[in-house]
Amino acid sequence: MTMIPYGRQDISEADIQAVVDVLRSDFLTQGPAVPAFEQALAAYCGVAHAIAVNSATSALHIACLALGVGPGDLVWTSPNTFVASANCALYCGADVDFVDIDARTYNLSVEALAHKLAQAKLAGRLPKVVIPVHLTGQPCDMLAIHALGQEYGFKIIEDASHAIGGKYRGEAIGNCRYSDITVFSFHPVKIITSAEGGMATTQDAQLATSLQQLRSHGITRDPELMTHAPDGAWYYQQVTLGYNYRMTDMQAALGLSQMARLDDFVAHRHVMARRYDALLADFPVITPWQHPDGYSGLHLYVIRLQTERLTQTHRDVFDSLRAQSIGVNLHYIPVHTQPYYAAKGFKPGDFPEAEHYYSQAISLPMYATFTEEQQDRVIEALRKALQ
Ligand SMILES: *Cc1c(COP(=O)(O)O)cnc(C)c1O
């Protein structure tokens, strides 16, 4: 039986043609496709600036740098995320700490954040940046996180790698109404893809300039930003230490072409999620709870096994699904339990809600071309796994 993956891209003939058109053009990189993708995404999100880069990991790195994160600073994020959400702070020489998750949304808990901030203030060790992660595409409680940011003076980077096409309080995620910078990923398992690629959005012109420079060696060609008038038409200046994090025009053309179907992709995910909810109603599992403030991008559909009602272990059920060619996955291994982070002093028990979630969670297949027949196969396999 063919494996049903937990996620996969959907590439149309128009997507292929868009990439071929770039290959036949004059520019494979630094041509017109990158700004076209940036403008389309900025318009979609209702944000002033969008800066395309070669991955969300790169976007997180330069977002931290643009916000001034450096040695001696502290960055907080959720332990229930991909390692990149935490690593970006370490790239800047800063320290990382985590805030435990909410038992219903699996996102960073606002109660835990408020509590930790009050303690950190007493200890004189407040975070410079907090990175809420919109897990599965469900937006975090940004209103409350933003209010805490005002109170305690930290900046906010939304890790929206799962969340493009989603909304928070009726507005597109990525508009940065409650944050300084929002980051998207276009890895093939995400909602739309550019093969590899990422985007940072911001309403702040200065942050946008900084992100643009950091993406390309810290170089500017804008005379306004130079220390003296240009020596000539060839002239550029390196004004900060940047990287080569540029997106190619082939990637941007693919991403831009995919955007035409973004709303349809997310709508299909919602149809399939509602069908999962109905089909799983009598199973000993907890289906995803959707906060009424959000319209999720639904990158993932995560169930939690009610392990106290089962004779099988979490691992038994996972292995049985894989053995039945269902490509289930687990998002995420709590970052603080990774050996690299354990070596920094984090231990099991530090973030109990994230660890409890990890002992029960399974990501079921969910993607743009996921069919009812495939979904029925997943349900039958789960029924068998739980027998
Ligand atoms: C995928 C992902 C990233 C990294 O994205 P890349 O584009 O692969 O670098 C970061 N954070 C989260 C939450 C992700 O899911």
Side-chain angles (χ1 to χ4, degrees):
M1 238 187 308
T2 52
M3 180 73 89
I4 299 176
Y6 84 90
R8 63 158 295 149
Q9 72 278 14
D10 177 31
I11 303 296
S12 69
E13 285 306 316
D15 295 341
I16 293 167
Q17 193 56 48
V19 176
V20 169
D21 289 347
V22 171
L23 284 167
R24 295 194 197 285
S25 78
D26 292 335
F27 298 99
L28 301 186
T29 191
Q30 293 181 287
V34 167
F37 185 26
E38 289 174 337
Q39 281 155 26
L41 188 132
Y44 181 89
C45 291
V47 70
H49 309 278
I51 296 90
V53 287
N54 58 0
S55 71
T57 303
S58 302
L60 286 163
H61 180 195
I62 62 173
C64 285
L65 288 173
L67 292 171
V69 173
D73 290 328
L74 196 49
V75 173
W76 291 0
T77 189
S78 170
N80 190 19
T81 186
F82 185 54
V83 291
S85 316
N87 289 345
C88 57
L90 303 182
Y91 295 158
C92 305
D95 293 319
V96 172
D97 202 353
F98 302 94
V99 179
D100 209 353
I101 63 170
D102 178 88
R104 279 217 290 186
T105 63
Y106 319 141
N107 281 331
L108 180 147
S109 155
V110 168
E111 290 71 36
L113 177 62
H115 183 71
K116 197 175 174 101
L117 285 165
Q119 287 183 322
K121 190 173 182 186
L122 290 175
R125 188 98 169 94
L126 284 165
K128 183 164 205 166
V129 170
V130 173
I131 307 180
V133 181
H134 304 316
L135 193 84
T136 75
Q138 162 142 272
C140 294
D141 185 351
M142 292 309 300
L143 207 56
I145 295 168
H146 180 255
L148 288 167
Q150 298 289 312
E151 186 180 346
Y152 289 94
F154 59 81
K155 305 283 187 190
I156 300 169
I157 301 170
E158 293 173 69
D159 185 343
S161 293
H162 298 183
I164 195 160
K167 293 188 172 76
Y168 177 65
R169 298 176 74 88
E171 296 178 349
I173 294 171
N175 73 355
C176 299
R177 185 179 294 285
Y178 306 101
S179 65
D180 297 280
I181 297 171
T182 301
V183 165
F184 294 113
S185 172
F186 309 122
H187 182 280
V189 296
K190 307 291 166 72
I191 295 168
I192 58 168
T193 188
S194 61
E196 294 278 0
M199 193 85 78
T201 64
T202 183
Q203 293 288 15
D204 184 307
Q206 239 171 320
L207 282 178
T209 299
S210 185
L211 291 164
Q212 280 153 1
Q213 288 175 0
L214 288 163
R215 138 179 93 176
S216 196
H217 308 283
I219 280 170
T220 184
R221 291 178 184 276
D222 181 353
E224 301 272 326
L225 302 173
M226 294 182 187
T227 55
H228 59 75
D231 292 353
W234 65 86
Y235 196 67
Y236 58 82
Q237 271 190 351
Q238 185 187 346
V239 294
T240 188
L241 183 63
Y243 302 84
N244 180 353
Y245 281 171
R246 290 189 304 262
M247 179 181 277
T248 67
D249 270 42
M250 293 169 290
Q251 292 169 313
L254 178 56
L256 177 59
S257 179
Q258 287 254 298
M259 277 196 72
R261 290 183 296 150
L262 170 56
D263 288 342
D264 293 342
F265 286 169
V266 175
H268 181 71
R269 287 168 181 271
H270 275 264
V271 169
M272 299 311 281
R274 280 197 297 272
R275 193 165 182 270
Y276 260 141
D277 291 345
L279 292 169
L280 291 169
D282 298 327
F283 280 63
V285 305
I286 300 167
T287 55
W289 181 73
Q290 300 293 327
H291 193 288
D293 277 355
Y295 174 72
S296 176
L298 271 168
H299 164 51
L300 299 172
Y301 186 91
V302 174
I303 58 166
R304 280 178 78 155
L305 302 181
Q306 292 177 309
T307 38
E308 67 285 356
R309 290 174 57 190
L310 302 177
T311 49
Q312 301 86 343
T313 65
H314 176 238
R315 174 107 183 238
D316 292 337
V317 175
F318 192 98
D319 289 347
S320 166
L321 288 166
R322 281 274 178 98
Q324 296 178 78
S325 296
I326 309 299
V328 286
N329 216 314
L330 209 177
H331 302 90
Y332 283 98
I333 306 159
V335 177
H336 68 284
T337 66
Q338 294 287 356
Y340 188 81
Y341 282 87
K344 293 183 174 298
F346 294 104
K347 343 175 261 316
D350 282 351
F351 304 100
E353 203 64 61
E355 293 167 32
H356 185 46
Y357 162 92
Y358 173 61
S359 72
Q360 298 181 323
I362 297 178
S363 300
L364 298 183
M366 173 60 80
Y367 43 91
T369 56
F370 189 40
T371 64
E372 293 191 358
E373 292 70 34
Q374 289 169 326
Q375 190 171 42
D376 291 340
R377 241 184 80 194
V378 174
I379 297 294
E380 283 323 302
L382 183 62
R383 194 187 307 283
K384 222 169 132 190
L386 292 169
Q387 251 161 27

